[in-house]
Amino acid sequence: MRWRGRRMSDNVEDQTGRGGMGFPMGGGRLPIGGKGGMGCGGLVIVVVLALVFGVDPMQLLGGMSQQGGVPAQQQVPSAVPGEGQGCERSDIHRFSCTVLADTEDTWNRIFQQSGEDYPEPTLVFYAGQGQSGCGAAQSATGPFYCPADQKIYIDTSFFDQLETQLGAGGDFAQAYVIAHEVGHHVQTVTGLSAQLRQEQARVGKTRANALQVKMELQADCYAGLWARTVQQQLEPGDIEEALAAANAIGDDRLQRQSQGYVVPDSFTHGTSAQRMSWFKRGYDTGDAEQCNTFAAREL
């Protein structure tokens, strides 16, 4: 992706080097190793990569349920906001800030077409551990969007894991991650996320999981829609990088890798094929209306 020399977002905060308050995100301790537990490699695959896009890792690891509402706002240590703070730390930070700026342009335009304002999210960089309005931000959970403070949290070392653990490398795979999290922000500011949480609280676990799959696939579609708006900046292989990342983090693939078999009723993000398909739908159509996964008969 051609990104150097282009606008970087000012909606950035930097917690790098500030540390976090150290309390867990919820549930019990993560089962690492031991009899009946999960090895570190499996934990990385299931938690870091399967759950990087917006779902509490404790859900798949037997911890707290995700069917409740948005977490209460937590006390967050001070971070330095504005003026692209943190963007100049490295190329990956500059790249992330540029991608965020591109998503701002895309969603501001879409919202304006409907006569609405787009409240832009904030991107927060941290290293190892930070703090969000949803609790502790930890590298093991991967990038995530917190609806309580409407911020996206990224430890950029995750991108190295994305490449080395699952072979989903390339700058546009990284861009896909950011654009997907921005998709969750769109769902939050339009009220869809709150409606989903209310519905999940009324239904059983299997149905709640199915609703979550629709939510995640819509965010994938929104990421594809964004990719279409920056076509002039794309280089050969960029879309393939995004599709490879979507394929790598499908529920079926990750479950097969971690436990040798799949349990469709436990899916929370969709299969590899679904994730690639919905990203491509957004990219091919460039139409947010075509990202209505909740009306799709095949889901």
Side-chain angles (χ1 to χ4, degrees):
M1 180 180 181
R2 293 182 290 272
W3 60 273
R4 294 183 185 278
R6 294 170 46 221
R7 181 178 79 86
M8 294 188 292
S9 176
D10 289 338
N11 296 312
V12 179
E13 296 178 2
D14 188 13
Q15 291 185 10
T16 305
R18 295 172 183 271
M21 297 179 70
F23 57 84
M25 294 185 72
R29 297 179 62 185
L30 298 182
I32 304 176
K35 185 176 181 180
M38 182 182 298
C40 292
L43 180 68
V44 169
I45 290 174
V46 175
V47 180
V48 177
L49 298 172
L51 307 175
V52 59
F53 296 130
V55 169
D56 186 339
M58 300 308 297
Q59 182 183 14
L60 291 192
L61 292 173
M64 72 185 207
S65 171
Q66 190 188 16
Q67 294 182 21
V70 173
Q73 185 89 10
Q74 303 287 345
Q75 184 67 34
V76 181
S78 61
V80 181
E83 299 302 322
Q85 178 66 34
C87 294
E88 296 296 339
R89 284 190 174 275
S90 70
D91 269 357
I92 188 56
H93 289 80
R94 285 185 281 273
F95 174 76
S96 299
C97 293
T98 303
V99 170
L100 182 64
D102 284 339
T103 67
E104 292 166 354
D105 294 341
T106 296
W107 288 108
N108 271 306
R109 183 168 58 251
I110 292 173
F111 273 60
Q112 287 169 4
Q113 289 171 354
S114 301
E116 300 176 358
D117 292 329
Y118 172 61
E120 298 170 351
T122 297
L123 177 63
V124 181
F125 292 117
Y126 69 98
Q129 187 170 349
Q131 194 65 27
S132 79
C134 297
Q138 298 176 341
S139 296
T141 62
F144 66 94
Y145 172 75
C146 174
D149 58 17
Q150 298 189 7
K151 296 179 181 181
I152 298 165
Y153 291 81
I154 292 182
D155 181 339
T156 57
S157 65
F158 165 77
F159 295 130
D160 293 331
Q161 296 173 331
L162 185 63
E163 180 172 7
T164 59
Q165 296 286 339
L166 289 185
D171 59 4
F172 213 69
Q174 299 162 6
Y176 159 63
V177 170
I178 297 170
H180 177 104
E181 300 303 339
V182 171
H184 284 310
H185 175 68
V186 172
Q187 292 168 332
T188 294
V189 299
T190 57
L192 177 62
S193 180
Q195 294 175 18
L196 177 86
R197 299 306 175 208
Q198 292 174 1
E199 179 64 19
Q200 286 179 311
R202 291 193 293 264
V203 300
K205 185 175 181 179
T206 298
R207 176 58 180 161
N209 287 345
L211 288 170
Q212 189 64 42
V213 167
K214 291 175 181 287
M215 197 75 153
E216 298 298 330
L217 294 179
Q218 184 178 66
D220 282 338
C221 188
Y222 285 162
L225 181 158
W226 164 77
R228 183 180 179 89
T229 68
V230 294
Q231 285 184 92
Q232 293 183 344
Q233 310 300 333
L234 299 187
E235 298 174 307
D238 278 345
I239 295 302
E240 288 75 13
E241 289 176 359
L243 290 172
N247 177 62
I249 55 176
D251 283 325
D252 53 340
R253 176 170 175 174
L254 289 164
Q255 287 190 359
R256 192 171 289 110
Q257 287 178 330
S258 64
Q259 62 192 23
Y261 59 92
V262 300
V263 183
D265 285 349
S266 70
F267 288 176
T268 58
H269 288 68
T271 66
S272 293
Q274 288 173 323
R275 302 203 71 165
M276 291 188 292
S277 176
W278 281 96
F279 175 88
K280 197 168 186 300
R281 180 180 297 200
Y283 181 74
D284 289 343
T285 67
D287 182 2
E289 295 297 324
Q290 298 300 314
C291 293
N292 186 359
T293 55
F294 296 89
R297 294 182 178 180
E298 66 269 25
L299 293 177

